[in-house]
Amino acid sequence: MTIPNPHIGDVVSDAIDWVTDHLGGLLDGISAVLTFLIDMVTDALLYPPPLVTVALFTLLALLVRSWKFALVALVGLLLVVSMELWEPAMETLGLVLVAAFVALVIAIPVGILAARNDTVSAVVRPVLDFMQTMPAFVYLVPVVLFFGIGVVAGVCATIIFALPPGVRLTELGIRQVDRETVEAGEAFGGTSGQILRGIQLPLGLPTIMAGVNQVIMLSLSMAVVAGLVGAGGLGQEVVKSISQINVALGFEAGLAVVILAIYLDRLTGAIGQPTGRSLVEVVRSRRAVAGPAAV
């Protein structure tokens, strides 16, 4: 018995051709916006002298985490400068920041919606499974057809690749909030928006920030792969080292990627502790006062 071939690949190819033929204006608009954002961020990173930028990054590490991390960041970034890879490193950082920002702008609202609506969650979950299990190189094919060779194609592939953990961990962070605390907020007259901003987001922030961390890390890994489609930065240096069989260049470019990854990972890992008197603290204090009275 012969099982008929549904030719799924041909259907996808036809869909991509249709988008290219009928939505060219939309694709051009997306390309223009992403190009503007990438150029703006990259120019801002490269405008000061490298040592000034290193000092600013070190100060940020000191303020956000500790002097030990600041010292490690200083040594690592100075090593990138000494290897003459500062410009491609900042190009990669600019690409990662733009891709992660766009991915989070999409992922966090979708994650919140999925956490508050089971139907949305049931629809989104298999889509995220598909996106996470698809090999990273497959994303390079359609984006090149849509946007051509260049940095925009690399950014779009990076956004798609890095988006799923942001949605999953945002949904998980909201769903893990204690139901009794949410009900207490509702009892005190909190609206749905107030409960989200004052209770669910502050309590779910550590998990959400873990999602932000994963989005940034996946963006960095995909940004290197995107060097295959002309995205520039350290990815281009890695591709060049492969084509030239240049072990020294490949190792140095890989080391620069590792330094960026460690810096971004530790920096985002230190962010996410809620501060200030939020609605959740008000609810807890009122419950603590009402407890003895009720007894």
Side-chain angles (χ1 to χ4, degrees):
M1 178 179 178
T2 303
I3 300 177
N5 187 350
H7 298 287
I8 297 176
D10 294 337
V11 174
V12 174
S13 179
D14 293 339
I16 291 176
D17 291 339
W18 185 90
V19 171
T20 305
D21 294 337
H22 295 84
L23 299 179
L26 176 62
L27 296 177
D28 292 340
I30 294 174
S31 178
V33 171
L34 290 178
T35 301
F36 170 77
L37 291 176
I38 295 167
D39 290 344
M40 180 180 66
V41 174
T42 305
D43 291 343
L45 292 171
L46 291 175
Y47 179 75
L51 294 181
V52 174
T53 307
V54 168
L56 292 176
F57 284 173
T58 304
L59 178 61
L60 180 61
L62 178 64
L63 295 176
V64 172
R65 196 171 179 95
S66 65
W67 68 268
K68 294 180 181 179
F69 173 58
L71 181 61
V72 172
L74 176 62
V75 174
L77 294 173
L78 288 177
L79 181 60
V80 174
V81 175
S82 68
M83 293 187 297
E84 299 181 353
L85 291 173
W86 182 255
E87 183 172 345
M90 291 302 98
E91 291 175 355
T92 296
L93 181 59
L95 188 153
V96 168
L97 292 178
V98 172
F101 173 77
V102 175
L104 291 172
V105 166
I106 299 172
I108 292 178
V110 173
I112 293 173
L113 187 60
R116 309 185 82 179
N117 190 309
D118 292 337
T119 302
V120 175
S121 179
V123 172
V124 168
R125 197 164 297 172
V127 176
L128 297 178
D129 292 338
F130 176 82
M131 293 173 65
Q132 285 189 294
T133 53
M134 181 67 68
F137 289 94
V138 176
Y139 293 123
L140 299 178
V141 178
V143 296
V144 169
L145 294 176
F146 289 153
F147 302 103
I149 298 294
V151 66
V152 175
V155 170
C156 290
T158 303
I159 292 170
I160 298 171
F161 182 73
L163 193 146
V167 178
R168 288 189 186 279
L169 290 172
T170 299
E171 180 183 359
L172 180 63
I174 299 297
R175 287 186 179 273
Q176 283 183 336
V177 174
D178 183 22
R179 181 60 190 168
E180 293 183 358
T181 305
V182 175
E183 291 175 351
E186 294 172 348
F188 286 115
T191 64
S192 177
Q194 288 174 332
I195 291 173
L196 175 64
R197 295 190 300 270
I199 295 178
Q200 292 175 317
L201 286 179
L203 289 180
L205 189 60
T207 304
I208 295 173
M209 285 305 302
V212 173
N213 177 276
Q214 290 301 304
V215 168
I216 293 175
M217 291 297 100
L218 289 178
S219 297
L220 184 57
S221 65
M222 189 62 185
V224 176
V225 176
L228 294 171
V229 295
L234 294 173
Q236 184 176 357
E237 299 299 317
V238 172
V239 173
K240 186 189 300 183
S241 70
I242 295 173
S243 62
Q244 298 176 355
I245 318 296
N246 190 334
V247 178
L249 177 60
F251 181 83
E252 290 180 352
L255 181 60
V257 172
V258 170
I259 291 170
L260 283 182
I262 292 175
Y263 181 81
L264 294 174
D265 177 62
R266 299 298 187 270
L267 196 67
T268 54
I271 301 173
Q273 296 300 323
T275 58
R277 186 173 175 80
S278 62
L279 181 57
V280 65
E281 294 173 334
V282 175
V283 169
R284 285 175 172 174
S285 63
R286 291 187 181 181
R287 289 176 66 184
V289 172
V295 173

